[in-house]
């Protein structure tokens, strides 16, 4: 069965960076793109970007360009999302999600990783 | 890219139907048939309910249906059940990115 397992919760100080991992299993990793999204406490979903697992190509939301980097380690079927220069507004649950077809048709999600930015 | 516009809340009694609207522009909802809807219960991971405007993933009850007219997409829940009480988010492709609505709280009375 398809599974996406994310790394554990993180607490970071303002200005620091965080790197969240998303380990995939149950399918051929390079067949489907991975999206990254986040949800601040009590707020809605926000799309951050996606990475083409077949090529490593990326497309980031305008809001995060310059601060976010999405990468792969295909040999271990893992995707990573690194966010730099953290501020308190970056406190959120970060999700990876697997696209099944174009259009953010994301039936499979990771469990979420809580990132808390606090001094 | 501005967020899609959804009503903050809708409600209905068990067995009734409710419809959630999702209004965008010709650059997102109106321009592409890549509108999806997600259900989220408190503290849980979002669940895909509809994709490509009106397609249902395997396992999603046919009580959930999606449609689109112009720049507005809609999710209709027919025969409301207690477990449908949740937040619902619409999402649209914009040509280069994706944008979500702020979410609609569906309350089953």
């Amino acid at each position: 069965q398809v599974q996406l397992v994310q790394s554990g919760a993180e607490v970071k100080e303002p200005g620091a960076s965080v790197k969240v991992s998303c380990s995939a299993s149950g399918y051929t990793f390079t067949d489907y793109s991975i999206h990254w999204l986040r949800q601040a406490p009590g707020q809605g979903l926000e799309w951050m970007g996606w990475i083409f697992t077949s090529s490593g190509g990326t497309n980031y939301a305008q809001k995060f360009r310059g601060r976010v980097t999405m990468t792969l380690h295909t040999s271990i079927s893992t995707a990573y999302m690194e966010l730099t220069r953290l501020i308190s507004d970056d406190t959120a649950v970060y999700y990876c999600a697997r696209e099944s077809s174009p259009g953010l048709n994301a039936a499979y999600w990771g469990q979420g990783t809580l990132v808390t930015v606090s001094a | 890219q501005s967020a899609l516009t959804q009503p903050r809340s809708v409600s209905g009694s068990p067995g009734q139907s409710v419809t959630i609207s999702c209004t965008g522009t010709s650059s997102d909802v109106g321009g592409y048939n890549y509108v999806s809807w997600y259900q989220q219960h408190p503290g849980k991971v979002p669940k895909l309910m509809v994709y490509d405007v009106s397609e249902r993933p395997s396992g999603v009850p046919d009580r959930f249906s999606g449609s689109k007219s112009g720049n507005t997409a809609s999710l209709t829940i027919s025969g409301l059940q207690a477990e449908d009480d949740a937040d619902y988010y619409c999402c649209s492709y914009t040509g280069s990115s994706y944008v979500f609505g702020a979410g609609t709280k569906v309350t089953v009375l």
Side-chain angles (χ1 to χ4, degrees), chain B residues 24-39:
Chain B
T25 69
S26 58
S27 296
D28 39 63
V29 174
Y32 306 92
N33 287 324
Y34 288 146
V35 176
S36 52
W37 290 89
Y38 294 87
Q39 176 194 65

Side-chain angles (χ1 to χ4, degrees), chain A residues 38-117:
Chain A
R38 75 178 187 179
Q39 187 170 34
Q43 303 300 309
L45 296 167
E46 183 174 30
W47 181 79
M48 299 180 69
W50 89 80
I51 184 164
F52 296 93
T53 52
S54 57
S55 66
T58 55
N59 187 17
Y60 303 139
Q62 178 78 29
K63 174 178 179 177
F64 298 102
R65 285 177 197 161
R67 280 212 304 145
V68 71
T69 304
M70 296 175 188
T71 56
L72 304 169
H73 191 161
T74 53
S75 65
I76 57 171
S77 300
T78 299
Y80 302 91
M81 186 284 299
E82 182 174 25
L83 190 63
T84 62
R85 302 195 305 275
L86 292 169
I87 61 175
S88 58
D89 284 353
D90 291 320
T91 294
V93 176
Y94 289 76
Y95 293 103
C96 62
R98 195 205 84 171
E99 181 179 277
S100 295
S101 62
L104 195 52
N105 171 8
Y108 301 100
W109 292 62
Q111 81 276 21
T113 296
L114 176 61
V115 175
T116 302
V117 182

Side-chain angles (χ1 to χ4, degrees), chain B residues 57-92:
Chain B
S58 172
V60 172
D62 59 8
R63 304 184 290 104
F64 292 86
S65 61
S67 63
K68 188 182 83 167
S69 177
N71 297 335
T72 298
S74 299
L75 176 72
T76 297
I77 311 173
S78 305
L80 262 180
Q81 298 186 5
E83 60 262 36
D84 300 333
D85 194 297
D87 293 322
Y88 292 81
Y89 296 93
C90 63
C91 175
S92 175

